[in-house]
């Protein structure tokens, strides 16, 4: 189907016709006063067909409503404002208006507060992981405490020639300094008390 | 039996026996303190942001360890002397010492280094391609200064670091190039002004040129983070041309599997979609939406969060943009996100749903069909307040754009009861949104001729009492809205009679003592 709405002017501006397959883009006859695409510059005498791809925006100029049109086959640089009276693409206009409507009714943009979850805007580069435990390359002196609050058994190790003790996994200590570990346990051996003092003495032998 | 001496010797080795109680107590206290300290240090170290990268291992140093480990921490005075000397060796030594001070955990002396006038020298060092160690130390030092406040970053920029860093991006030494990426990330992250200044210096092509199939993961992590800072900030947004330049690489990065890369790439997208529908269009046209929807279901919170934010932003756009998100399967991922253990995730999911529900009834139908009503009602009942607030918006939007049948389904799903229970919240805005929803539901009921039944239903749910009470609310809009509701729908003298149900319409407002679920 080919329709063209002619304007009053007898200007040999191009006529816009409907692309056969597209249900969206309707035809519009338009006086393209401001811009003509390069490849039709020489053919101003003939009727050219231009297809509206999309309605992008709306404005009111001197009381007249105009729409910003994206032309099919042309880049965004060729977009033009056309008076609504010249247009016959109600679907595209409706789609545009609907998109505007949804933007105001119900749709809510992100709150500017943000969540504080955002990734960091600046980062300091720290020293690479501080050497600790056996990695410090020091010799174990003695174990002075133990804890399993991390989920695994850790010993607090006093190192030779250092005042700073730190935690080492028991598993590692058992292999690397078994005697030190044994000393630790031996120091802490306790015997449970039994009913009589005499029996206690005997047990301690 | 052993002799007394041997027994004594052995006994004295035992933990507690034969020891002076005071000494024992002291020993216990010291031990506790040491344990606590070591534990604290360990946790402290765990919390640090350690990024694996191509960077060489550095020996750990801290002022606390002065005595035991190999140390050469110089004072700032010494550093100044070294850095200003003519010997490359001294300069390197001084620069490295400065870098170490600037990398320490507690109170790195950013201002002192700046005040010592060292920045110009550091920037000079950046240009010494024949002295890579010096370049690297200077780059690291300047990175950390730029990681401070805006003032600190400004000092770095004003000493001419930017062109030097951009040149360093092309260094054949990966660890130096990577350090430059990091520094530029800090500068870009300061705000839109420096971000745009960097863009004007053509930082983007220089960065993108570093992405190759051989680029190590650690490098890519830093690079993605820096790119995200170039996408960050509004007022103004980054130029569309800059965004267009970065997008293809961002898309590439979004298809990798490293969680840190994915997280920062998603943050970049979330910044870019946090704007007008035109901005959203730029992103959506890349075809990245399905990948974002998939990442919404990622097991890592650090990936899920920005992916969800991005999707939430996109569905705050046009109906068309929202449809693309629905077509990508968001409605099947959303329920599990709405049940996520973290409250802020639930909230963002509810917000996204509220925007989808603000669309045309065709989309609302998809929301229903994909089973989003039950999780929504769950959030209304059990979510924390911020989540409930978003869920309430979802309900209101639903009632505003939905068909009568869709509104009926909403009520049958328990949403009306849930929002009535929320009428007792303090937040006036939320109350208004709820009253709006109730109003819309009544309008749907009117179309069915079921207004009286709905009144009874609302009354049974305790809604009438609450709305009547709201007529005394402090907030003017609230008491007006409550009053209007009562006037409009509850003041009819004939309402008490239940109409005989002669219609074969399946949607009938009913009250039933026996049934908990209300059919209407």
């Amino acid at each position: 189907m080919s329709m063209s709405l002619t304007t009053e002017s007898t200007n040999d501006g191009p006529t816009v016709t409907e692309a056969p397959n597209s249900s969206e883009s309707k035809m519009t006859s338009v006086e393209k006063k401001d811009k003509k695409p390069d490849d039709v510059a020489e053919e101003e005498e003939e009727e050219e067909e231009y297809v509206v791809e999309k309605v992008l925006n709306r404005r009111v100029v001197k009381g007249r409503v105009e729409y910003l049109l994206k032309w099919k086959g042309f880049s965004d640089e060729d977009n033009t404002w056309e008076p609504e009276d010249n247009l016959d693409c109600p679907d595209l206009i409706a789609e545009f208006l609907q998109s505007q409507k949804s933007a105001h009714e119900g749709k809510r943009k992100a709150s500017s507060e943000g969540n504080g979850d955002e990734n960091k805007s600046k980062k300091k580069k720290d020293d690479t992981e501080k050497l600790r435990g056996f990695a410090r390359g020091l010799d174990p002196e003695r174990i002075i405490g133990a804890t399993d609050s991390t989920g695994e058994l850790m010993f607090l190790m006093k190192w030779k020639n250092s005042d700073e003790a730190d935690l080492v996994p028991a598993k590692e200590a058992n292999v690397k300094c078994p005697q030190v570990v044994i000393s630790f346990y031996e120091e802490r051996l306790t015997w449970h008390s039994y009913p009589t003092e005499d029996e206690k003495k005997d047990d301690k032998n | 039996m052993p002799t007394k001496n041997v027994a004594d010797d052995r006994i004295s080795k035992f933990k507690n026996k034969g020891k002076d109680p005071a000494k024992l107590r002291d020993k216990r206290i010291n031990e506790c303190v040491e344990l606590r300290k070591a534990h604290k240090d360990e946790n402290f170290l765990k919390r640090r942001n350690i990024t694996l990268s191509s960077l060489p291992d550095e020996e750990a140093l801290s002022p606390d360890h002065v005595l035991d480990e190999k140390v050469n921490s110089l004072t700032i005075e010494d550093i100044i002397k070294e850095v200003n000397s003519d010997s490359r060796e001294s300069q390197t030594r001084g620069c490295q010492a400065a870098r170490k001070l600037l990398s320490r955990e507690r109170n790195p002396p950013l201002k002192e280094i700046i005040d010592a006038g060292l920045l110009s020298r550091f920037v000079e060092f950046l240009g010494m391609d024949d002295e890579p160690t010096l370049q690297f130390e200077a780059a690291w030092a300047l990175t950390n200064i730029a990681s401070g406040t805006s003032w600190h970053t400004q000092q770095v920029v004003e000493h001419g670091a930017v062109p030097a860093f951009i040149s360093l991006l092309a260094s054949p030494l990966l660890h130096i190039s990577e350090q430059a990426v990091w520094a530029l990330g800090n500068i870009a992250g300061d705000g839109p002004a420096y971000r745009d200044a960097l863009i004007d210096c053509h930082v983007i092509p220089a960065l993108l040129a570093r992405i190759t199939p051989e680029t190590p993961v650690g490098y890519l992590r830093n690079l993605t983070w820096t790119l995200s800072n170039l996408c960050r900030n509004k007022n103004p947004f980054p130029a569309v041309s800059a965004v267009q330049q970065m997008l293809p690489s961002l898309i590439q990065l979004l298809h990798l599997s490293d969680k840190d890369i994915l997280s920062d790439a998603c943050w970049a997208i979330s910044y870019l979609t946090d704007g007008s529908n035109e901005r959203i269009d730029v992103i959506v046209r890349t075809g990245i939406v399905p990948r974002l929807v998939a990442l919404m279901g990622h097991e890592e919170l650090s990936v899920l969060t920005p992916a969800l934010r991005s999707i939430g932003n996109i569905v705050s756009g046009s109906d068309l943009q929202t449809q693309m998100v629905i077509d990508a399967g968001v409605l099947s991922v959303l329920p599990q996100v709405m049940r996520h253990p973290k409250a802020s995730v639930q909230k963002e999911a509810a917000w996204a749903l509220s925007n989808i529900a603000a669309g045309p009834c065709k989309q609302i139908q998809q929301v229903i069909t994909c089973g989003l009503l039950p999780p929504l009602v769950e959030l209304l009942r059990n979510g924390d307040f911020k989540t409930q607030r978003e869920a309430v918006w979802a309900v209101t939007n639903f009632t505003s754009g939905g068909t009568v049948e869709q509104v009926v389904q909403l009520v049958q799903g328990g949403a009306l009861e849930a929002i009535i229970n929320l009428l007792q919240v303090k937040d006036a805005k939320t109350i208004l949104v709820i009253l709006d929803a109730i109003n819309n539901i009544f309008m749907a009921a009117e179309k069915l001729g079921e207004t009286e039944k709905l009144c009874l239903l609302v009354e049974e749910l305790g809604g009438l009492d609450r709305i009547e009470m709201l007529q005394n609310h402090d907030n003017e809009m609230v008491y007006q809205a409550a009053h209007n509701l009562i006037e409009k729908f509850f003041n009819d003298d004939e309402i008490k009679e239940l109409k005989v149900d002669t219609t074969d319409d399946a949607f009938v407002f009913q009250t039933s003592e026996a049934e908990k679920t209300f059919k209407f």
Side-chain angles (χ1 to χ4, degrees):
Chain A
M1 186 164 100
S2 200
M3 230 167 61
S4 61
L5 265 183
T6 48
T7 62
E8 311 88 59
S9 162
T10 52
N11 186 307
D12 40 85
T15 334
V16 175
T17 51
E18 180 172 358
N21 302 323
S22 158
S23 54
E24 292 287 5
S25 56
K26 290 286 188 75
M27 317 147 315
T28 275
S29 151
V30 164
E31 287 176 40
K32 282 174 113 326
K33 298 192 192 93
D34 3 322
K35 226 173 170 138
K36 284 202 174 107
D38 292 344
D39 52 359
V40 289
E42 300 88 64
E43 297 159 12
E44 285 178 49
E45 302 307 312
E46 301 169 22
E47 290 216 338
E48 291 298 334
E49 300 190 350
Y50 296 98
V51 178
V52 179
E53 187 181 303
K54 197 172 168 196
V55 172
L56 296 173
N57 214 336
R58 180 183 189 273
R59 71 183 182 191
V60 180
V61 172
K62 293 180 187 161
R64 280 204 323 180
V65 173
E66 294 183 350
Y67 288 102
L68 181 63
L69 305 179
K70 164 80 171 60
W71 298 97
K72 189 164 183 161
F74 294 96
S75 74
D76 278 305
E77 282 155 19
D78 295 318
N79 293 346
T80 58
W81 286 98
E82 305 298 341
E84 75 173 340
D85 298 337
N86 286 2
L87 305 185
D88 183 28
C89 46
D91 286 346
L92 292 179
I93 292 180
E95 194 192 304
F96 167 72
L97 292 173
Q98 172 66 21
S99 76
Q100 293 296 291
K101 181 170 148 267
S102 300
H104 297 296
E105 268 178 37
K107 297 281 191 184
R108 292 174 303 131
K109 293 287 179 187
S111 61
S112 43
E113 35 157 274
N115 269 331
D117 297 335
E118 282 85 7
N119 64 352
K120 291 189 175 185
S121 60
K122 289 182 182 170
K123 291 186 193 172
K124 172 170 152 273
K125 181 173 167 191
D126 292 331
D127 271 340
T128 46
E129 198 151 357
K130 197 165 135 178
L131 295 173
R132 37 195 184 113
F134 285 99
R136 289 165 67 186
L138 303 171
D139 288 326
E141 191 180 297
R142 41 186 281 273
I143 296 171
I144 54 179
T147 174
D148 69 351
S149 54
T150 60
E152 80 167 286
L153 180 62
M154 307 286 281
F155 292 135
L156 183 61
M157 181 70 77
K158 165 82 176 67
W159 306 95
K160 290 186 180 153
N161 304 317
S162 170
D163 283 332
E164 179 139 336
D166 63 356
L167 293 170
V168 297
K171 286 199 185 105
E172 204 180 343
N174 291 345
V175 171
K176 292 191 171 158
C177 52
Q179 293 306 318
V180 175
V181 176
I182 290 172
S183 298
F184 175 70
Y185 284 127
E186 276 193 339
E187 277 174 24
R188 284 155 182 78
L189 279 176
T190 57
W191 275 257
H192 295 290
S193 40
Y194 282 91
T196 67
E197 279 292 312
D198 291 317
E199 277 172 44
K200 225 170 42 170
K201 268 200 195 144
D202 283 336
D203 281 339
K204 277 188 191 155
N205 292 343
Chain B
M1 205 153 131
T3 66
K4 200 160 186 287
N5 285 342
V6 176
D8 273 342
D9 271 340
R10 198 150 149 261
I11 282 189
S12 65
K13 284 209 188 93
F14 283 110
K15 186 174 175 188
N16 297 326
K17 276 271 189 237
K19 295 228 166 84
D20 169 29
K23 262 172 107 177
L24 278 177
R25 186 172 15 104
D26 284 337
K27 189 166 161 213
R28 269 201 302 277
I29 291 173
N30 287 338
E31 215 171 281
C32 269
V33 167
E34 286 283 6
L35 268 171
R36 241 185 298 131
K37 244 175 68 179
H39 211 191
K40 179 200 75 172
D41 284 342
E42 189 159 10
N43 284 337
F44 216 41
L45 291 168
K46 280 191 196 141
R47 260 186 264 127
R48 274 208 309 214
N49 211 0
I50 314 275
T51 42
L52 298 172
S53 66
S54 56
L55 305 166
D57 258 324
E58 296 296 332
E59 214 182 285
L61 265 199
S62 114
D64 299 339
H65 284 196
V66 168
L67 292 173
D68 51 3
E69 279 141 343
K70 273 179 283 199
V71 162
N72 55 2
S73 60
L74 309 178
T75 63
I76 297 204
E77 239 182 81
D78 294 330
I79 291 176
I80 299 177
K81 260 191 276 187
E82 300 272 70
V83 166
N84 285 321
S85 80
D86 290 318
S87 121
R88 288 284 183 253
E89 222 183 275
S90 300
Q91 291 167 350
T92 308
R93 226 184 357 250
C95 198
Q96 184 179 88
R99 177 268 287 176
K100 288 184 175 179
L101 284 181
L102 292 165
S103 315
R104 75 177 185 215
E105 263 182 72
R106 266 159 272 181
N107 304 319
L110 267 50
K111 185 164 194 298
E112 289 85 325
I113 296 285
I114 295 172
D115 289 342
L118 291 165
L119 293 200
S120 336
R121 288 298 262 165
F122 290 167
V123 173
E124 246 180 81
F125 296 158
L126 289 181
M128 294 177 182
D129 290 338
D130 48 345
E131 295 289 340
T133 311
L134 196 47
Q135 273 186 330
F136 179 63
E137 295 289 353
W140 186 341
L142 288 168
T143 298
N144 283 359
I145 298 177
S147 76
T149 65
S150 266
W151 180 78
H152 294 123
T153 309
Q154 185 185 10
Q155 299 308 309
V156 171
V157 172
E158 286 182 357
H159 280 84
V162 168
F165 274 125
I166 296 185
S167 302
L168 276 184
L169 287 176
S171 167
L173 294 162
L174 220 56
H175 67 294
I176 294 184
S177 166
E178 185 173 354
Q179 198 56 61
V181 171
W182 191 326
L184 291 167
N186 277 341
I187 296 172
D190 183 61
Y194 281 155
R195 172 200 74 200
D196 291 343
L198 285 182
I199 292 176
D200 288 340
C201 290
H202 312 293
V203 74
I204 295 176
L207 284 169
L208 299 186
R210 307 302 308 187
I211 304 179
T212 76
E214 286 78 41
T215 311
V217 158
Y219 191 109
L220 285 179
R221 285 179 187 148
N222 272 314
L223 195 137
T224 309
W225 174 72
T226 296
L227 284 178
S228 79
N229 272 354
L230 288 166
C231 296
R232 193 177 192 147
N233 287 309
K234 319 204 274 190
N235 309 312
F237 280 98
V240 175
S241 54
V243 172
Q244 296 283 21
Q245 270 189 308
M246 290 188 275
L247 268 177
S249 299
L250 279 174
I251 305 300
Q252 256 191 318
L253 293 165
L254 277 168
H255 282 98
L256 300 179
S257 57
D258 179 78
K259 67 174 169 67
D260 294 327
I261 294 177
L262 287 177
S263 174
D264 282 331
C266 283
W267 280 117
I269 300 291
S270 79
Y271 302 143
L272 294 174
T273 50
D274 182 11
S276 70
N277 296 1
E278 284 78 37
R279 288 275 169 172
I280 294 176
D281 229 28
V282 172
I283 302 307
V284 152
R285 271 193 253 125
T286 63
I288 195 57
V289 168
R291 179 61 173 159
L292 289 171
V293 170
L295 290 175
M296 247 176 73
H298 200 276
E299 69 261 14
E300 289 290 333
L301 187 63
S302 61
V303 176
L304 188 167
T305 303
L308 176 56
R309 175 78 58 82
S310 302
I311 292 293
N313 285 340
I314 297 174
V315 300
S316 77
S318 70
D319 289 346
L320 228 59
Q321 291 163 342
T322 305
Q323 190 59 48
M324 292 179 72
V325 174
I326 295 177
D327 291 343
V330 71
L331 294 177
S332 47
V333 182
L334 214 44
Q336 87 212 38
V337 184
M338 289 164 77
R339 295 187 176 115
H340 195 278
K342 193 155 190 255
S344 60
V345 172
Q346 290 186 350
K347 182 195 81 161
E348 297 253 316
W351 166 62
L353 182 58
S354 77
N355 274 333
I356 298 177
C361 54
K362 184 181 66 146
Q363 291 179 350
I364 292 181
Q365 188 53 49
Q366 288 180 288
V367 168
I368 298 176
T369 310
C370 292
L372 268 319
L373 286 185
L376 176 59
V377 172
E378 224 178 279
L379 288 182
L380 284 168
R381 289 191 191 133
N382 303 324
D384 77 344
F385 177 61
K386 286 188 175 164
T387 303
Q388 287 173 322
R389 198 164 45 182
E390 298 298 333
V392 157
W393 273 108
V395 171
T396 305
N397 289 344
F398 203 110
T399 60
S400 158
T403 63
V404 172
E405 289 76 15
Q406 290 169 340
V407 173
V408 167
Q409 283 184 273
L410 180 68
V411 172
Q412 286 178 335
L416 177 57
E417 179 173 3
I419 61 174
I420 284 176
N421 288 335
L422 287 173
L423 279 172
Q424 31 80 1
V425 300
K426 297 209 178 58
D427 180 42
K429 178 69 182 159
T430 304
I431 298 176
L432 281 171
V433 176
I434 298 176
L435 293 178
D436 214 2
I438 297 178
N439 187 64
N440 292 341
I441 297 174
F442 266 103
M443 302 214 297
E446 268 183 345
K447 296 198 182 121
L448 291 174
E450 306 270 337
T451 327
E452 295 84 357
K453 292 205 179 79
L454 181 57
C455 286
L456 282 165
L457 179 55
V458 169
E459 191 178 344
E460 277 207 24
L461 293 174
L464 181 54
D465 288 340
R466 293 194 199 234
I467 299 174
E468 280 177 343
M469 282 206 309
L470 286 174
Q471 291 177 115
N472 300 324
H473 198 273
D474 294 331
N475 184 295
E476 182 175 336
M477 288 174 72
V478 169
Y479 76 65
Q480 274 298 335
H483 183 70
N484 290 344
L485 213 50
I486 303 272
E487 281 282 284
K488 225 166 126 182
F489 299 112
F490 285 93
N491 270 352
D492 219 33
D493 283 326
E494 295 122 13
I495 57 168
K496 293 312 168 195
E497 265 184 64
L498 258 178
K499 283 217 176 84
V500 173
D501 183 9
T502 53
T503 127
D504 50 9
D505 192 330
F507 311 112
V508 163
F509 288 85
Q510 263 177 11
T511 66
S512 162
E513 307 299 318
E515 295 176 351
K516 238 331 187 143
T517 50
F518 294 95
K519 289 203 274 285
F520 88 82

